[in-house]
Amino acid sequence: MTITTWYLESTDPADLRPARKPEADLRFSRAEMPSPVLSRFMHGGEVGGDWEGSDGLGLSAEQWREWVDHPGRETWVLYEEDTPAGYAELDAQPDGAVEIAYLGLVPGYLGRGMGGHMLTLALERAWDLAGRWPDRDPTRRVWLHTCSLDGEHALANYLARGLRVYEETTERG
């Protein structure tokens, strides 16, 4: 099997090309209290499980706690009518970089136009992250990576929102 990984970035918030907002009662809320249980639940099976996106399932409870407790790391949940539909985790890094470490929809919410909208919101929150973490440098770069095991529309969604590929790798397994 060949796996291609694409690394994408944005270096200017003006590059964002917002997706249209779906006709749904949606809200994107930050989990104000870091929760390893929430992150593991969303990451482990609900989001990404169909695309082998469960790379963090082997983490211990303490490792999950360390992940969510890191200053500048945020979990955002997309709700439709107060039901979790997807999530994004932002990871503030040195020199004003913010990684969108995880992003995905719960099965059953795919194909409804929510992915592009949630990515738009996650990018906006990545660009204004320093306003919530005053000890952090202002965001200068937002980046993420995806691979050929991800959902079939993931790469196209990232490109449509204005992210650019800066590196591509291929591994044969």
Side-chain angles (χ1 to χ4, degrees):
M1 171 190 274
T2 300
I3 301 171
T4 301
T5 302
W6 297 274
Y7 297 84
L8 300 100
E9 69 181 351
S10 174
T11 55
D12 187 335
D15 291 340
L16 176 61
R17 293 190 303 263
R20 68 168 182 78
K21 185 178 183 301
E23 297 285 328
D25 179 17
L26 299 175
R27 82 183 148 83
F28 196 57
S29 297
R30 179 176 164 207
E32 295 292 331
M33 294 179 56
S35 170
V37 173
L38 173 64
S39 291
R40 185 179 192 286
F41 172 75
M42 294 301 284
H43 180 71
E46 292 310 307
V47 173
D50 291 343
W51 294 286
E52 301 184 28
S54 55
D55 58 323
L57 285 180
L59 297 179
S60 70
E62 182 56 32
Q63 288 168 317
W64 275 106
R65 169 61 58 199
E66 289 173 14
W67 169 256
V68 300
D69 279 346
H70 186 270
R73 197 166 282 150
E74 300 178 341
T75 300
W76 290 80
V77 180
L78 180 72
Y79 295 93
E80 180 183 28
E81 296 182 12
D82 293 326
T83 301
Y87 87 124
E89 287 194 356
L90 307 179
D91 183 24
Q93 299 171 342
D95 301 320
V98 176
E99 179 185 9
I100 299 178
Y102 299 106
L103 177 98
L105 293 169
V106 172
Y109 292 92
L110 299 168
R112 297 178 50 201
M114 292 182 183
H117 179 64
M118 184 172 64
L119 177 57
T120 296
L121 297 172
L123 286 163
E124 290 172 347
R125 296 298 66 83
W127 281 110
D128 65 18
L129 187 138
R132 294 181 299 281
W133 297 90
D135 59 327
R136 294 283 169 187
D137 290 333
T139 302
R140 292 182 187 89
R141 175 178 177 255
V142 179
W143 73 280
L144 57 82
H145 71 277
T146 189
C147 74
S148 51
L149 297 176
D150 204 348
E152 64 181 299
H153 302 293
L155 180 59
N157 184 24
Y158 300 140
L159 294 170
R161 302 291 72 79
L163 293 160
R164 294 173 305 281
V165 174
Y166 68 89
E167 185 177 349
E168 180 178 324
T169 62
T170 303
E171 295 180 30
R172 294 187 187 354

